[in-house]
Amino acid sequence: MDNIHNSDYSIQTVDLTRKFGNITAVNRLNLTIKKGELFSLLGHNGAGKTTTIKMLCCLLKPTSGTAIILGHDIKKEADSVKRIINVSPQETAIANHLTSYENLQLIARLYGLSKADTRSRTDELIELMGLKERAADRVEKLSGGMKRRLSIAMALISDPQVLFLDEPTLGLDPQARRNLWEQIEKLKGNKTIILTTHYMEEADALSDRIAIIKSGCIKAIGTPKELKAELSGLQTMIVRGCNLTDEIINNIKMKYRDVKSLDNGIEIRGEKLVFDEIVDSLRSDGVKIEWLTMKEASLDDVFLSINEEV
Amino acid sequence: MRFLSLANRNIKEIYRDPISTVLGVAMPSTLLVLFVSISQNAPIEIFTVQVLTPGIIVFSFSFLTMFSAILLSKDRQSAFLTRLLVSPLRPVDFILAYSLPIIPIALIQIIICYTVAVFLGITLDLGILFLSLVVLIPIALACIGIGMILGSLLTENQVAGAGSLVIIASSLFGGAWMDLNMIGGVFKNIGYALPFAHAIDATRAIYKGAGLSSIVGNMYWIIGYTILFLILGILSFRWKTRG
């Protein structure tokens, strides 16, 4: 496998495959991720994101194929791989009866940091993640956002060259999520980060590149801009108003392939929608339009269109 | 020696949840006082402090199963174990870190039960103390091994049910407060097919002045089961975490 390693890349997967009985969770995955890149894996539940991360973290053995992380084969050199990576799992994965300090110190010691390094790294990360005021409290008393920040700090304490963030903002309120994005932004460029998330705006805001996985295979890969450009003609129009009867909605459904009913409104998705034509048609049917908007394709649309494909 | 850092965390995790620890330590000594006070009103040999103390100590070890199993299953379910498995810890580090912190609880249980027993009139010398530890430490390890099996295979909720079964099995089939020979039949056969009754009988024999040579038969059962449970615990852990 040494001949395939390129020193510009942090991660190269080569036909990486994992089967569970008859089910293929990850199917011949071929990926290259550059050093310092923030790379997002998107996909529905069960698409193969977490299985991929588990294989790259040496928690799960590939059925076939392999991956090279900074020159180390995950199948043959798991010990070497484990020294240069770290993970913030999907669950917060912290010791609840310990304080934030103690949690960080524990992980530092497990990675063999000296006492002095442990102390300085702990202080540095407590500061970076905004945990100073509550650092001496048992973590069971912290908010969900603080626990998530601590979880990422625990993954950073060993100063990994490759960091896996498995749904780091799951279950957080919008404000806490934004705060965490700021922390992740600060890490960009210094480390290779592999992020999985269900939040498209998160992937859009943070990622250098994105891969969309479906049934264990990559269906699309590129920068957020490149992915959205693939659906450049797609537009979404949302109209809210009075008198939007089922009959009127059914008429619209006959003209446009993708129409959804909303509370007091409709959402129309399609290529090159003619704004005036739709508005005039609704008004002539007696709809009193109160609010409307039209937007270009988002990452959400890209994700949906890929997952709608049979 | 990285396992020491994890063992240290596990000690804190157990001792900072004092209710269960106090229950596991205080309940057996309370039972000892209760049963011995019954024997003062109704003289039954099995409720005398001399006969009852070994039974209560072995019964108290079944709580070790609960402590060990809950600690492990909690870490599995919260994915804390996932984080640890990504670290450079070796399998042997995990086994040591999840079993060693439970041993001090076993020692505390022994010390408290003996202290209460001395107040209730038992006579102990250093020889008896040492010999009884030769019996009691292996059975405590066996209970930790059962905990590792349950903690590796079951969820936290399932552990609560399965752990209760171990507590009931050790109290009923160990003969802690009922004479298995008097009951006889299947009950006695099951009792002596498990290690608890052997541990209790051996410790009672030591109190009566028996040496190691007299309890060799019991020790085979105890050490055999201890090795079996620890091996099964290690295999269960490795099986569940190997991926």
Side-chain angles (χ1 to χ4, degrees), chain A residues 168-179:
Chain A
T169 61
L170 188 72
L172 294 187
D173 64 59
Q175 183 60 51
R177 190 179 305 155
R178 294 268 166 187
N179 290 342

Side-chain angles (χ1 to χ4, degrees), chain A residues 24-241:
Chain A
T24 305
V26 175
N27 192 6
R28 298 173 69 91
L29 192 76
N30 288 291
L31 263 182
T32 49
I33 299 172
K34 286 183 202 150
K35 284 181 181 168
E37 197 173 17
L38 195 153
F39 188 90
S40 291
L41 287 171
L42 304 183
H44 280 307
N45 288 334
K49 308 182 297 289
T50 299
T51 305
T52 303
I53 287 200
K54 281 188 171 175
M55 285 192 283
L56 295 176
C57 291
C58 308
L59 290 172
L60 208 55
K61 285 184 180 157
T63 309
S64 61
T66 191
I68 309 295
I69 299 185
L70 292 167
H72 302 289
D73 189 320
I74 58 164
K75 276 170 127 175
K76 296 175 193 162
E77 300 166 90
D79 288 344
S80 304
V81 170
K82 285 179 172 186
R83 285 194 198 97
I84 53 172
I85 64 164
N86 213 324
V87 64
S88 174
Q90 211 172 88
E91 304 84 351
T92 43
I94 48 186
N96 271 320
H97 289 138
L98 303 190
T99 65
S100 299
Y101 265 121
E102 288 170 335
N103 267 286
L104 288 167
Q105 284 170 344
L106 164 67
I107 302 299
R109 302 296 289 164
L110 296 185
Y111 279 83
L113 269 72
S114 68
K115 276 189 179 170
D117 285 346
T118 298
R119 203 173 303 125
S120 65
R121 286 288 293 158
T122 303
D123 289 342
E124 188 186 320
L125 285 165
I126 289 276
E127 189 75 46
L128 177 75
M129 289 293 168
L131 294 164
K132 202 170 181 180
E133 283 176 19
R134 305 288 304 275
D137 291 350
R138 283 195 201 172
V139 296
E140 61 194 340
K141 295 175 186 165
L142 302 186
S143 68
M146 290 181 113
K147 284 180 182 173
R148 286 279 172 190
R149 294 209 295 274
L150 174 62
S151 175
I152 294 176
M154 287 165 78
L156 286 169
I157 192 111
S158 60
D159 198 16
Q161 293 174 64
V162 180
L163 175 66
F164 295 92
L165 300 176
D166 197 0
E167 303 197 24
T169 61
L170 188 72
L172 294 187
D173 64 59
Q175 183 60 51
R177 190 179 305 155
R178 294 268 166 187
N179 290 342
L180 201 50
W181 289 5
E182 283 172 22
Q183 311 300 336
I184 295 170
E185 280 281 0
K186 288 179 194 167
L187 305 172
K188 276 181 72 172
N190 300 324
K191 301 183 181 306
T192 306
I193 302 174
I194 291 83
L195 173 85
T196 73
T197 180
H198 279 123
Y199 303 112
M200 297 301 134
E201 76 276 22
E202 182 167 295
D204 201 354
L206 295 173
S207 313
D208 296 315
R209 282 194 307 146
I210 292 170
I212 298 178
I213 301 184
K214 186 182 173 186
S215 307
C217 299
I218 292 179
K219 295 292 176 185
I221 189 164
T223 63
K225 206 173 171 183
E226 285 167 350
L227 291 175
K228 285 184 274 189
E230 284 178 22
L231 291 178
S232 59
L234 185 79
Q235 293 169 314
T236 305
M237 185 171 177
I238 299 170
V239 183
R240 294 193 187 274

Side-chain angles (χ1 to χ4, degrees), chain A residues 239-254 259-266 281-289:
Chain A
V239 183
R240 294 193 187 274
C242 299
N243 308 328
L244 258 170
T245 61
D246 289 345
E247 191 185 345
I248 295 169
I249 292 172
N250 285 336
N251 283 341
I252 296 169
K253 279 183 179 171
M254 287 164 72
V259 179
K260 269 189 224 161
S261 298
L262 308 171
D263 283 344
N264 300 320
I266 46 168
S281 162
L282 289 169
R283 281 189 175 142
S284 68
D285 285 337
V287 176
K288 192 181 165 193
I289 297 173

